[in-house]
Amino acid sequence: MARKYKRIAVEEGFTIPEIIAEANKMDEAARFAAGLGPVKMSPARAAFTECLLDLGKSRLDAMNADGIDKALLVVSSPGVQIFTPGTGTALSRLVNDRLAEAVRAHPDRLAGLAALAPQDPAAAAAELERATRRLGLKGGIINSHTKGEYLDDRKFWAIFEAAQALDVPIYIHPREPSPQMAAPLAMEGFRVGWGYAVETATHILRLISSGVFDHFPKLRLVIGHMGEGLPFMLDRIDNRFVWEHAARAATPKSKRLPGDYVRDNIVISTSGMNYTAPLQMAIAVMGIDKILFAADYPFEVVRDSVVAMDAMPLAESDKKKIYQSNAERVFAL
Ligand code: CA
């Protein structure tokens, strides 16, 4: 039976040689803190790095083999956020130009989000405008913290102001936990599956706590990995949010409950979460219109995510929303 939907995957990684070359100039300790590992790559890292660097034939061949119709490309974590403000901004422009070039060559197969360097907030806001208005990219991506700082700090809010004005989403993608959280989360084998989720979910709760969504009520964020654990915790988060403020006679900086912002201002992708129970729960908590399909190429086996999503106990009309129409709406594809 022919498929009645396109498969659009919205968190598909790539990088450019210039970012790798710049990161290779950092000393080993700085590289480790940034989650980069040694300059000499393990065979597994060398293999996925080769995939990240290809924006043409090999990538399209892989998409064809895996049944992916369109990929929304995002610069691989930590992207341009580990460099000085000047270098980060220059590399963000270069990577966005390169991405736009790839999209122009295959407009029916590829789309992309603009890499942003929050190290220079005003330049990042300007780059978001240039990349979306002039280059045709569909929003921005920020790989969680920037040198240990989170976007709830008002010095970064020019980026959110631009995103709201341009009506484009910002994808908050995980990276190695910030220096403040790194030590207890540095357990080999749990750094990614647990540490990345704690890092990113904490970032989102800091944003909510800062009142940023009251300041920019139309701001739209995207988070991966089935919502980084937030949908599962949302009722308790709301309950204890009220209790804690009452117990301390404190007034929240945000006007509504945390769950209200998660449901209204955030959409989630499935990236790497090819499991039925979390998907069903996320649909129940967030609503079917808030879930996007992502495969997380080349860090996950894309075929597994397609097989799992195809087999989900969902109506074909719901699969069409997750695979296609939600992504088309959120990213104006
Ligand atoms: Ca990813």
Side-chain angles (χ1 to χ4, degrees), residues 11-13 74 173-174 225 271 296-297 299:
E11 190 201 299
E12 312 312 300
V74 295
H173 185 277
H225 314 99
S271 53
D296 211 358
Y297 176 89
F299 302 101

Side-chain angles (χ1 to χ4, degrees), residues 150-153 200-212:
Y150 292 92
L151 300 166
D152 58 298
D153 189 321
T200 312
T202 303
H203 197 160
I204 295 300
L205 294 182
R206 291 190 66 89
L207 287 171
I208 288 171
S209 151
S210 73
V212 74

Side-chain angles (χ1 to χ4, degrees), residues 164 211-220 256 261 264-265:
Q164 178 175 271
V212 74
F213 294 112
D214 298 302
H215 209 85
F216 304 111
K218 297 216 160 97
L219 176 63
R220 297 184 288 128
R256 304 164 69 202
Y261 302 105
D264 289 353
N265 295 87

Side-chain angles (χ1 to χ4, degrees), residues 19-298:
I19 289 180
I20 295 177
E22 194 62 35
N24 283 350
K25 294 180 193 166
M26 294 161 64
D27 66 39
E28 206 80 326
R31 289 179 57 81
F32 185 78
L36 289 170
V39 170
K40 185 172 163 29
M41 295 184 197
S42 66
R45 240 182 82 222
F48 72 66
T49 301
E50 204 171 304
C51 295
L52 287 171
L53 287 167
D54 189 283
L55 284 166
K57 186 172 182 312
S58 310
R59 183 174 294 263
L60 294 181
D61 286 349
M63 287 167 61
N64 292 339
D66 294 328
I68 301 295
D69 296 288
K70 192 167 214 172
L72 183 79
L73 305 184
V74 295
V75 72
S76 175
S77 166
V80 298
Q81 288 162 245
I82 53 176
F83 307 120
T84 63
T87 302
T89 300
L91 277 174
S92 75
R93 291 179 187 137
L94 181 66
V95 73
N96 295 335
D97 285 343
R98 209 66 67 72
L99 175 56
E101 205 177 291
V103 171
R104 275 197 301 275
H106 306 284
D108 50 336
R109 305 300 304 279
L110 302 178
L113 298 182
L116 301 175
Q119 301 94 303
D120 183 340
E127 178 58 10
L128 182 63
E129 176 162 9
R130 185 190 78 98
T132 53
R133 287 267 167 88
R134 306 232 320 254
L135 301 180
L137 301 183
K138 299 301 181 183
I141 171 151
I142 295 175
N143 289 297
S144 201
H145 75 87
T146 302
K147 297 175 185 291
E149 293 188 305
Y150 292 92
L151 300 166
D152 58 298
D153 189 321
R154 279 182 178 252
K155 74 180 182 184
F156 294 117
W157 285 17
I159 300 168
F160 293 139
E161 190 178 357
Q164 178 175 271
L166 294 161
D167 193 22
V168 295
I170 304 281
Y171 209 119
I172 306 291
H173 185 277
R175 62 169 292 192
E176 213 66 17
S178 65
Q180 306 91 300
M181 293 201 287
L185 290 169
M187 300 169 280
E188 203 62 47
F190 297 100
R191 289 172 31 254
V192 176
W194 183 249
Y196 280 27
V198 170
E199 159 68 22
T200 312
T202 303
H203 197 160
I204 295 300
L205 294 182
R206 291 190 66 89
L207 287 171
I208 288 171
S209 151
S210 73
V212 74
F213 294 112
D214 298 302
H215 209 85
F216 304 111
K218 297 216 160 97
L219 176 63
R220 297 184 288 128
L221 302 183
V222 183
I223 53 177
H225 314 99
M226 211 67 88
E228 310 290 3
L230 289 174
F232 183 79
M233 294 299 294
L234 218 47
D235 288 327
R236 175 164 171 78
I237 287 170
D238 279 354
N239 176 300
R240 292 297 89 181
F241 183 82
V242 173
W243 183 88
E244 249 181 78
H245 280 90
R248 298 187 187 209
T251 308
K253 280 190 214 147
S254 54
K255 292 196 185 120
R256 304 164 69 202
L257 286 173
D260 294 331
Y261 302 105
V262 171
R263 289 188 184 87
D264 289 353
N265 295 87
I266 295 176
V267 300
I268 69 176
S269 85
T270 59
S271 53
M273 291 281 282
N274 310 324
Y275 316 114
T276 308
L279 177 65
Q280 288 176 322
M281 188 222 41
I283 292 170
V285 172
M286 303 283 293
I288 188 76
D289 294 330
K290 300 296 176 67
I291 322 273
L292 312 169
F293 173 75
D296 211 358
Y297 176 89

